[in-house]
Amino acid sequence: MDATVLLTVLEKLRGIFAEQGTYLACSQTPTVFGRDKLETVGKGSSTAEELAFESAWIRLVNFIPTAGVLLPNELTYLWDGLAELKMQQVVIAVGSASGPAADQIKAAEKLLYEDPSAEIRSFTVVHKAYLALQDIHQEAVQIYRQRQCEALQSTEQAVRDFWTETAEPSYKAEIAEALFRWEEEGHKSEIESAKRILVQAAESKPAAQWTRWMSQFASEIDTASDLSLIKFAPTSFSPPGITAQSDWANATVDGGQYEQLVGNAPQDLKQRLYSADPGYVSVSFEFARLNVERAWFPRGAFASRIWTTPGDSPKFSDGGDPPKGKLPGYVTAVILVRNIQVMKRAPPPDPSPPPKKRWHFDILRAADIFNVGAPIAQPAPAEQPSPMPIIAMARRHEFPTVDPMEIQLAVAERKAVPMRIERNFDALDKIRQRDQALQLMRRKVVPTIIAAQLPTVTEQAIGGDDVCTIAFLWKGFGTSPNPDPALMWPNT
C-alpha cells in the first residue's frame, strides 16, 4: 500500500471517528489477515495457527498508546501497566463525609448487573439494551460526520447546497431519533444515574472499591501464553461476526481533495507519509468499527480520584491532549478496512520509437585494423534522491508450524471472556438504507461534471477476503492520579 494511500485512509477515518478525548493511532505496519481469522479469537483456539493469531491480535489491541499517532516497534501492554499499578505504593482516601444510602447502591447494582456479588459481573438485559441503542446512536453520528466531511470538502457549490438544504436536516433527524430511542428504550438516564451512584459509593468507601479494582486482574489467572510463552490477557470484541457482514460502510476520496484532507494531519504522520502528489485519481474503501472489551481491566481506577502516590512518582497520565504517561489511555476500538481500490491515471503511450541498436568500432593500433565491438554502453542514469521511507507496507500475518498436540495444555488453561452484546442489525440497516437513499437523491439532484482526463487503471491494494487492521481508537484518561481534596485523607 502506497504511503499516500495510507495517509488518505487514515485522515478520512480520523474525520469520521476522532472526537474530544478519543484519538486515532495507526501501526507502522498495518496487518493484513483473512477475514475468517478473527472469528476464532475468544472462542478457544484449537490449532497452533489459531493460538498464534489470537496471541498476536490481542497484544495488538492492548498496547499502551504512549507514542502519539504512530505506534513504536516495542510495545508495552495494558496488563503490564496494571501490574505496575498493583505494585505501586499508593495512598487511599479515608472516605467522603457522606455517600449514597445502602438501598441506593443496591438498587443501582441490581439495575446494572445480573449478579452484583460475582467477581466478574455480567450486564442485565436493561444494561445491554442501553449499550445496543448507544451503538445505534453512535452509528447515526458516524454516518452524519462522514457525509458532512464529504460535502464540506467538495469543490462543487451544488453539493454543498444539497447538504445544507436537504441532507443535513435528514441526518440530524436520524441522530435525534436514535437519541430518543436510547433515552426511552435504553433507559439512558436511569443507567447513567446508577453508574454515578456507584462512583459516589466508591468515594464513600475508597478502600473497599480499590480492593475490588485490584482484584479484577490476577496475572497468574487472567493471562494465557502462546507456544512462545508470550503472555496475553483474553480480550473479546463486539459485534461478533463483523468480518462476515457484507454491509460495511464505504468511503471515497478524490485526488483533488487530498491536500484539504491531509492538511491537518499530525506532523509525525505527515513527515513519514506525505507526498505533494497523491499519485491517484481516487481511493475507495470499506470500513467497520470493532469494539474491544476487557473484563479484567479496571479503567475506573485510573479515572478515580480516591488514590494518589507519595512523593514525585511519575503520573500514569498527565491529562494532556493527547495525554502522555505510563498509562495515559486504552484502546476502545479497532477500525478494520477492506476492499481498498486505488484508481490511478494510466501512463500515456510512449510516442518515441524504440532506440536502434548502436555499435562502435575499436581501432586496434597494433594490427591497424577495425574490429566489430560490443554495443555501446549506455551512460549510467543520474542518481536519484532516495525516496522518503515508506513504513506503510502492509504485511500478511504468518504463523509458525507447530504440532497441534503441543498446545492442548495452553488451550485448556485459556480463560474465555464472553462477547459484550450483539448489534441490532435491523435498526442499523434502516439508518444505512436512509443514507443510501439520500446519496441516490444527491446524485440525481446535483449535476455530475465529468472532466477530461487521461484513461485510468484501478489497483486493488487490499481485496478478496483480506481485512486490514489499519487504525485504533483510544480513549485518554485525565490526570491520573488526581486526588480529590474534598475527600478525607490519612494524616490530614
PDB file of all heavy atoms in Angstrom, residues 220-233:
ATOM      1  N   GLU A 220      -1.611 -14.359  37.244  1.00  0.00           N
ATOM      2  CA  GLU A 220      -1.449 -15.806  37.162  1.00  0.00           C
ATOM      3  C   GLU A 220      -2.729 -16.507  36.710  1.00  0.00           C
ATOM      4  O   GLU A 220      -2.691 -17.660  36.261  1.00  0.00           O
ATOM      5  CB  GLU A 220      -0.993 -16.361  38.515  1.00  0.00           C
ATOM      6  CG  GLU A 220      -1.986 -16.191  39.656  1.00  0.00           C
ATOM      7  CD  GLU A 220      -1.925 -14.810  40.307  1.00  0.00           C
ATOM      8  OE1 GLU A 220      -1.177 -13.945  39.795  1.00  0.00           O
ATOM      9  OE2 GLU A 220      -2.638 -14.606  41.307  1.00  0.00           O
ATOM     10  N   ILE A 221      -3.877 -15.818  36.804  1.00  0.00           N
ATOM     11  CA  ILE A 221      -5.155 -16.430  36.426  1.00  0.00           C
ATOM     12  C   ILE A 221      -5.669 -15.862  35.109  1.00  0.00           C
ATOM     13  O   ILE A 221      -6.168 -16.604  34.252  1.00  0.00           O
ATOM     14  CB  ILE A 221      -6.207 -16.201  37.530  1.00  0.00           C
ATOM     15  CG1 ILE A 221      -5.773 -16.879  38.831  1.00  0.00           C
ATOM     16  CG2 ILE A 221      -7.580 -16.715  37.097  1.00  0.00           C
ATOM     17  CD1 ILE A 221      -6.690 -16.601  40.000  1.00  0.00           C
ATOM     18  N   ASP A 222      -5.549 -14.554  34.946  1.00  0.00           N
ATOM     19  CA  ASP A 222      -6.192 -13.871  33.832  1.00  0.00           C
ATOM     20  C   ASP A 222      -5.322 -13.744  32.591  1.00  0.00           C
ATOM     21  O   ASP A 222      -5.694 -13.038  31.654  1.00  0.00           O
ATOM     22  CB  ASP A 222      -6.642 -12.480  34.273  1.00  0.00           C
ATOM     23  CG  ASP A 222      -7.753 -12.553  35.310  1.00  0.00           C
ATOM     24  OD1 ASP A 222      -8.674 -13.340  35.110  1.00  0.00           O
ATOM     25  OD2 ASP A 222      -7.672 -11.832  36.323  1.00  0.00           O
ATOM     26  N   THR A 223      -4.148 -14.364  32.569  1.00  0.00           N
ATOM     27  CA  THR A 223      -3.326 -14.345  31.362  1.00  0.00           C
ATOM     28  C   THR A 223      -3.102 -15.758  30.857  1.00  0.00           C
ATOM     29  O   THR A 223      -3.075 -16.709  31.637  1.00  0.00           O
ATOM     30  CB  THR A 223      -1.955 -13.679  31.610  1.00  0.00           C
ATOM     31  OG1 THR A 223      -1.280 -14.368  32.670  1.00  0.00           O
ATOM     32  CG2 THR A 223      -2.123 -12.223  31.970  1.00  0.00           C
ATOM     33  N   ALA A 224      -2.991 -15.863  29.551  1.00  0.00           N
ATOM     34  CA  ALA A 224      -2.652 -17.131  28.897  1.00  0.00           C
ATOM     35  C   ALA A 224      -1.310 -16.948  28.204  1.00  0.00           C
ATOM     36  O   ALA A 224      -0.756 -15.845  28.155  1.00  0.00           O
ATOM     37  CB  ALA A 224      -3.741 -17.518  27.905  1.00  0.00           C
ATOM     38  N   SER A 225      -0.761 -18.019  27.674  1.00  0.00           N
ATOM     39  CA  SER A 225       0.511 -17.955  26.959  1.00  0.00           C
ATOM     40  C   SER A 225       0.381 -18.682  25.639  1.00  0.00           C
ATOM     41  O   SER A 225      -0.344 -19.684  25.527  1.00  0.00           O
ATOM     42  CB  SER A 225       1.641 -18.590  27.784  1.00  0.00           C
ATOM     43  OG  SER A 225       1.827 -17.914  29.004  1.00  0.00           O
ATOM     44  N   ASP A 226       1.088 -18.151  24.631  1.00  0.00           N
ATOM     45  CA  ASP A 226       1.135 -18.885  23.371  1.00  0.00           C
ATOM     46  C   ASP A 226       2.310 -19.856  23.417  1.00  0.00           C
ATOM     47  O   ASP A 226       2.956 -20.034  24.461  1.00  0.00           O
ATOM     48  CB  ASP A 226       1.241 -17.927  22.182  1.00  0.00           C
ATOM     49  CG  ASP A 226       2.476 -17.041  22.232  1.00  0.00           C
ATOM     50  OD1 ASP A 226       3.435 -17.391  22.962  1.00  0.00           O
ATOM     51  OD2 ASP A 226       2.498 -16.007  21.536  1.00  0.00           O
ATOM     52  N   LEU A 227       2.611 -20.492  22.305  1.00  0.00           N
ATOM     53  CA  LEU A 227       3.653 -21.513  22.302  1.00  0.00           C
ATOM     54  C   LEU A 227       5.046 -20.931  22.467  1.00  0.00           C
ATOM     55  O   LEU A 227       5.984 -21.654  22.770  1.00  0.00           O
ATOM     56  CB  LEU A 227       3.567 -22.319  21.002  1.00  0.00           C
ATOM     57  CG  LEU A 227       2.281 -23.144  20.853  1.00  0.00           C
ATOM     58  CD1 LEU A 227       2.295 -23.891  19.541  1.00  0.00           C
ATOM     59  CD2 LEU A 227       2.104 -24.108  22.009  1.00  0.00           C
ATOM     60  N   SER A 228       5.162 -19.613  22.274  1.00  0.00           N
ATOM     61  CA  SER A 228       6.449 -18.956  22.516  1.00  0.00           C
ATOM     62  C   SER A 228       6.540 -18.435  23.942  1.00  0.00           C
ATOM     63  O   SER A 228       7.445 -17.669  24.265  1.00  0.00           O
ATOM     64  CB  SER A 228       6.645 -17.796  21.524  1.00  0.00           C
ATOM     65  OG  SER A 228       6.633 -18.279  20.201  1.00  0.00           O
ATOM     66  N   LEU A 229       5.556 -18.806  24.775  1.00  0.00           N
ATOM     67  CA  LEU A 229       5.479 -18.400  26.181  1.00  0.00           C
ATOM     68  C   LEU A 229       5.305 -16.891  26.326  1.00  0.00           C
ATOM     69  O   LEU A 229       5.693 -16.305  27.338  1.00  0.00           O
ATOM     70  CB  LEU A 229       6.718 -18.866  26.958  1.00  0.00           C
ATOM     71  CG  LEU A 229       6.969 -20.390  26.965  1.00  0.00           C
ATOM     72  CD1 LEU A 229       8.193 -20.714  27.788  1.00  0.00           C
ATOM     73  CD2 LEU A 229       5.745 -21.131  27.491  1.00  0.00           C
ATOM     74  N   ILE A 230       4.712 -16.255  25.317  1.00  0.00           N
ATOM     75  CA  ILE A 230       4.379 -14.836  25.389  1.00  0.00           C
ATOM     76  C   ILE A 230       2.995 -14.711  26.005  1.00  0.00           C
ATOM     77  O   ILE A 230       2.033 -15.313  25.522  1.00  0.00           O
ATOM     78  CB  ILE A 230       4.417 -14.188  23.999  1.00  0.00           C
ATOM     79  CG1 ILE A 230       5.825 -14.288  23.409  1.00  0.00           C
ATOM     80  CG2 ILE A 230       3.979 -12.729  24.076  1.00  0.00           C
ATOM     81  CD1 ILE A 230       5.924 -13.773  21.989  1.00  0.00           C
ATOM     82  N   LYS A 231       2.899 -13.921  27.064  1.00  0.00           N
ATOM     83  CA  LYS A 231       1.642 -13.811  27.784  1.00  0.00           C
ATOM     84  C   LYS A 231       0.695 -12.816  27.115  1.00  0.00           C
ATOM     85  O   LYS A 231       1.115 -11.850  26.495  1.00  0.00           O
ATOM     86  CB  LYS A 231       1.889 -13.403  29.236  1.00  0.00           C
ATOM     87  CG  LYS A 231       2.507 -14.496  30.092  1.00  0.00           C
ATOM     88  CD  LYS A 231       2.554 -14.074  31.551  1.00  0.00           C
ATOM     89  CE  LYS A 231       3.065 -15.220  32.436  1.00  0.00           C
ATOM     90  NZ  LYS A 231       3.054 -14.851  33.870  1.00  0.00           N
ATOM     91  N   PHE A 232      -0.606 -13.075  27.284  1.00  0.00           N
ATOM     92  CA  PHE A 232      -1.630 -12.129  26.836  1.00  0.00           C
ATOM     93  C   PHE A 232      -2.881 -12.360  27.676  1.00  0.00           C
ATOM     94  O   PHE A 232      -3.102 -13.453  28.206  1.00  0.00           O
ATOM     95  CB  PHE A 232      -1.940 -12.303  25.341  1.00  0.00           C
ATOM     96  CG  PHE A 232      -2.457 -13.669  24.967  1.00  0.00           C
ATOM     97  CD1 PHE A 232      -3.815 -13.922  24.888  1.00  0.00           C
ATOM     98  CD2 PHE A 232      -1.578 -14.719  24.691  1.00  0.00           C
ATOM     99  CE1 PHE A 232      -4.293 -15.177  24.538  1.00  0.00           C
ATOM    100  CE2 PHE A 232      -2.042 -15.975  24.337  1.00  0.00           C
ATOM    101  CZ  PHE A 232      -3.410 -16.207  24.257  1.00  0.00           C
ATOM    102  N   ALA A 233      -3.673 -11.321  27.836  1.00  0.00           N
ATOM    103  CA  ALA A 233      -4.903 -11.408  28.622  1.00  0.00           C
ATOM    104  C   ALA A 233      -6.081 -11.518  27.671  1.00  0.00           C
ATOM    105  O   ALA A 233      -6.266 -10.643  26.805  1.00  0.00           O
ATOM    106  CB  ALA A 233      -5.050 -10.182  29.510  1.00  0.00           C
TER     107      ALA A 233
END
